[in-house]
Structure formats: structure tokens, C-alpha cells
Amino acid sequence: MGNFWSGGCVCAHSDGPGKAATIRHMRAIDIPVEPFRSAPQILVRSAAMFFSNLSFLAAVTLIVYLPAKLGLQLACYALDVPTSGILSFVLLDLSDLVLGALVAPAAIYGLVELLRSGKTPSVAESLRRGRARWGSMLWNQFKVEITIMLWGALLIVPGVMAMVRLIFVEPVVAIEDVTDPLERSRELTRGHRWRIFLTIAPLGLMELVGSFVVLNRLEDAVHSRVVMAVADSLLAVAAQWMTAAVLLLYLSIRAPEVRAASPVRTRRSGYRG
């Protein structure tokens, strides 16, 4: 499967004996990016990115989530699955995994194009790009969820640290061509994990409050599957703030790497500016 952005420079390296070479597409971050200085810096920039592009992010998210969530609630109603309980929770979680694997690369594509050109692409083009990455994103995010769950089964702290180490799997799958996105994320987060944690912790707490407080209160108040589906979809829109923050973290951390490698890639590729 090709990269989103064709025509850029591609480089490869081997991580050591017996390890497959990692292929990376570099053009995707050939844009001005501030270095990673602090968690507040990323939170402010990601908030500005999220709210200034809310219409685009909402459209990309709701076109996928709303009909799927309504369909899921309709199926649960037909099968007499209660809105509360373990089965309902598992179905909602699985639907988030499947739908998020389509929306995340679409949103990332749109935001990267915005940073490069100053304009977001159409929703249709973004979703087409997201669909091209859907299978790979779904499989790798499934592995991420299993890894975090297994570490979290030991203690909360190991689960949180596993989440931090794997936080860049979404942008890696969306932007790069790599043989092991999980290992690539571990590589990128090395040396930055405490600052990454301090950045994503407030946003993660907001998502938890939304998921476990808002939905539960709505369920108790209205007992409407339609309202539950709409609320769940709107929470997915709010979660795109986390997508923006993680993308900015990823770009900020990768920018020095790309600048350092740029002369080598230029000579090898025969590119002439």
C-alpha cells in the first residue's frame, strides 16, 4: 500500500542483524514544525488546531460514526441488548475501534495537508485516504489495545506507560510505511515519555469523563438509543482534539530527525532543488 503523499523522498535503514529494514516516507512532514518544548505548548496549539478546523473534523467523524452508531443501537434494540451491561459496553468499544480506524487516518491526512498548504482537503478525499489505511490501522490499533490491556491487567501504571509508548501508532500508520508501527512508536517516544504523558493526560481524562459520566447520565435520564448514538458520535468528535495533539507531538519529535537526514536523502535520491 502506498503512502498518502506521493513524490516525496523515501529512505530505508536496518535496525540491526535479523531485523527487517524500516521504510519511511519523509515528505509528509516536510512542513514548518515547532520543536517539542512543553506540554502546555502542545495543548494550546492542538486546541487552536481543533477548534479552528472543527467543521472539517466534525464532518469527517460524524459521516462515519453517526450512521454506524445508529445502526448499532438499532441492532441492539432488535436483539434486545440492554443499553447497560457488559455486552453493550463491549459492542460500543468494538465499534469505536472499527470506526476510529477509518476516521483517524482521514483526520490526520486532512490536518497534515492543512499544515502544508494552509487548506484542508475535501471530506470525501480525506475519507478516501482513510479507507486506504483502514485495514492496517485497525489491525495495529487492535494490537495496541491488547498490549495496553495486558499491561494494565498487572497494574495501572504499566498500562499507562504502555499507552504512552504506543501513542504514535496512529500517525505512524497514517503517514509512514513501516514494518512494525508499534516498534516505531516506541522508538519515537523514547526520551520524551514523561512530557508526552503530561500532554495527553488532561485530554485522556476529558475523554474518560465524557465516556463514563455523560453517557451514563444520558442513559439514566432519557432511555433513548437515538440520543445515546448521537451523544456517542459527538464524543468521537471531541476526541479529535487528542488526534490533533498526538499529531503535533509526532511532528515535533520527528522534525529534527528529518532535517538531519535530509542531505543524505537528497544525494541518494538524485533530487535537485
Side-chain angles (χ1 to χ4, degrees), residues 68-120:
K69 291 291 186 176
L70 288 170
L72 176 62
Q73 290 294 342
L74 178 61
C76 288
Y77 174 78
L79 297 172
D80 200 24
V81 177
T83 55
S84 59
I86 295 177
L87 180 57
S88 179
F89 172 79
V90 170
L91 290 175
L92 287 175
D93 204 39
L94 286 175
S95 68
D96 287 338
L97 180 65
V98 173
L99 300 175
L102 173 59
V103 171
I108 290 170
Y109 169 76
L111 293 176
V112 170
E113 285 299 303
L114 170 70
L115 291 171
R116 178 181 295 122
S117 66
K119 297 185 292 185
T120 54

Side-chain angles (χ1 to χ4, degrees), residues 148-170:
I148 294 173
M149 183 179 66
L150 292 176
W151 279 105
L154 301 175
L155 286 171
I156 293 177
V157 172
V160 171
M161 296 312 297
M163 179 185 68
V164 172
R165 287 193 296 268
L166 301 176
I167 195 67
F168 291 146
V169 168
E170 282 188 354

